[in-house]
Amino acid sequence: MPGKAAAPSPRTGLLLRLLRWLSWLLIIVALVGVAVYLAFGPAHLVDRLMPPPPAFPEEVIEEPAAAAKPVAAPPPTAMQHAPADSQELTKLMLESIEDIWGEFLARADFSYKRPKLVSFRDRLESPCQLKGTFSGPLYCSSTSQLYLDMAYLDDLQKNAPQVGDLARSYVVAHAAAHHIQKLVGVVGWFKDLNTDMDPAHSSENLRVTQELVADCLVGSWISYARRKYAWLEPEQLDAALKAVRERDAARAGAGLPSMADPLDLSDSATRLRWLNVGIDTGDPRECSKLFTINE
């Protein structure tokens, strides 16, 4: 008669159980691996490589007046009249920008660094690697140089005396806002995005958006600076923007060099809208809504 099959030893049974547990463990690891791959794998690689929108620093402690309330009269200590000399006005506005934005940036672990101011009158030869002769304001991000045409500022005061102080201050603050964009990474973000975008939606659209971001940042500054400088009246900004646009056209008609950084890339109503976003909220983070290209 054939012999009986030998019963499995206890050691063999233990080995089989270990193999079954190991099989289940491998299956679980494989499932987790598939889930991670689907969530973070190559399907989302392009999204991860896109430059993240820059984050603007938090607002300062003191809150601006609510948008629904009438603008309060400046305190008695506010400076009522701007310096007649455009060079002095420029110095005053840049000091204010440094004070207010220095606090904004410090709250987000940035540090404010002064731009290098270059003053000139009417003509500027080959600034910022540009070829030719130019006029008007210009910020060069590669060198952090702020070019300001004192003759251009004087023209604003002369031809629109009712809003000349506000118009001159706006021009200085708008040029300086491009410097703020560099400090917080907006300039680099726009350059990266311009490379990644379809050519039909790049360059000009991004340039207009960058200009509107600068206007919004100007508004954030005005919401605080107006308490110290009485001529920074938000109600007069529409007239000030009109004066700037008219002077740009008049200077071109007078045969002066073209504007290095034209201030009329978008219509006045859109510029005023984003200026008021900054003024009403006092929060530069609101300006990040413009990072949606179709805004």
Side-chain angles (χ1 to χ4, degrees):
M1 292 181 63
K4 294 182 179 180
S9 67
R11 181 176 298 178
T12 302
L14 177 61
L15 180 61
L16 290 174
R17 286 196 297 272
L18 288 175
L19 288 174
R20 283 197 295 269
W21 280 108
L22 181 60
S23 298
W24 279 110
L25 180 61
L26 290 175
I27 291 172
I28 292 172
V29 170
L31 291 174
V32 171
V34 170
V36 171
Y37 179 85
L38 292 175
F40 304 102
H44 297 274
L45 182 60
V46 173
D47 292 338
R48 298 208 311 275
L49 292 179
M50 285 288 287
F56 284 111
E58 296 181 359
E59 60 184 327
V60 296
I61 295 175
E62 186 181 12
E63 295 289 340
K69 297 179 181 179
V71 178
T77 56
M79 185 181 293
Q80 296 298 313
H81 303 288
D85 182 78
S86 293
Q87 190 81 48
E88 291 183 20
L89 175 67
T90 295
K91 179 182 178 182
L92 195 66
M93 295 299 95
L94 291 180
E95 288 175 351
S96 174
I97 289 166
E98 180 174 1
D99 289 343
I100 292 173
W101 273 100
E103 185 173 350
F104 271 131
L105 295 174
R107 293 176 178 273
D109 294 328
F110 292 99
S111 60
Y112 183 86
K113 299 178 182 178
R114 291 185 182 184
K116 303 169 187 175
L117 178 62
V118 179
S119 301
F120 67 100
R121 301 191 71 85
D122 282 333
R123 297 178 183 277
L124 183 64
E125 297 294 335
S126 304
C128 197
Q129 300 179 343
L130 298 175
K131 295 182 179 180
T133 305
F134 299 90
S135 64
L138 172 68
Y139 175 69
C140 182
S141 62
S142 61
T143 60
S144 297
Q145 288 180 299
L146 187 64
Y147 297 93
L148 290 176
D149 185 346
M150 295 299 127
Y152 175 83
L153 298 179
D154 289 346
D155 280 349
L156 284 174
Q157 178 64 21
K158 178 181 177 181
N159 291 279
Q162 297 85 356
V163 293
D165 293 340
L166 176 58
R168 289 187 297 161
S169 300
Y170 163 77
V171 169
V172 174
H174 179 90
H178 286 292
H179 180 58
I180 301 299
Q181 291 186 61
K182 177 186 177 180
L183 294 179
V184 299
V186 175
V187 172
W189 185 82
F190 271 113
K191 287 181 179 178
D192 291 343
L193 189 60
N194 189 51
T195 301
D196 294 334
M197 284 184 64
D198 184 306
H201 297 90
S202 60
S203 298
E204 192 64 22
N205 284 355
L206 288 179
R207 189 180 177 194
V208 169
T209 302
Q210 198 167 356
E211 291 296 314
L212 293 176
V213 171
D215 279 337
C216 185
L217 298 181
V218 172
S220 298
W221 166 73
I222 288 177
S223 70
Y224 300 98
R226 67 184 182 185
R227 299 168 184 177
K228 188 174 181 181
Y229 306 111
W231 63 88
L232 298 178
E233 301 179 36
E235 298 86 351
Q236 298 295 322
L237 274 170
D238 193 10
L241 290 176
K242 181 180 179 181
V244 169
R245 188 179 291 270
E246 289 176 349
R247 290 321 305 157
D248 289 359
R251 286 170 66 84
L256 290 168
S258 59
M259 298 278 288
D261 184 15
L263 295 172
D264 59 355
L265 291 179
S266 58
D267 61 278
S268 295
T270 304
R271 302 201 84 130
L272 186 62
R273 172 192 169 196
W274 285 102
L275 274 163
N276 282 324
V277 167
I279 292 169
D280 293 342
T281 66
D283 188 350
R285 291 172 298 180
E286 290 294 310
C287 306
S288 64
K289 293 178 180 178
L290 274 157
F291 296 148
T292 302
I293 303 305
N294 293 325
E295 177 70 14

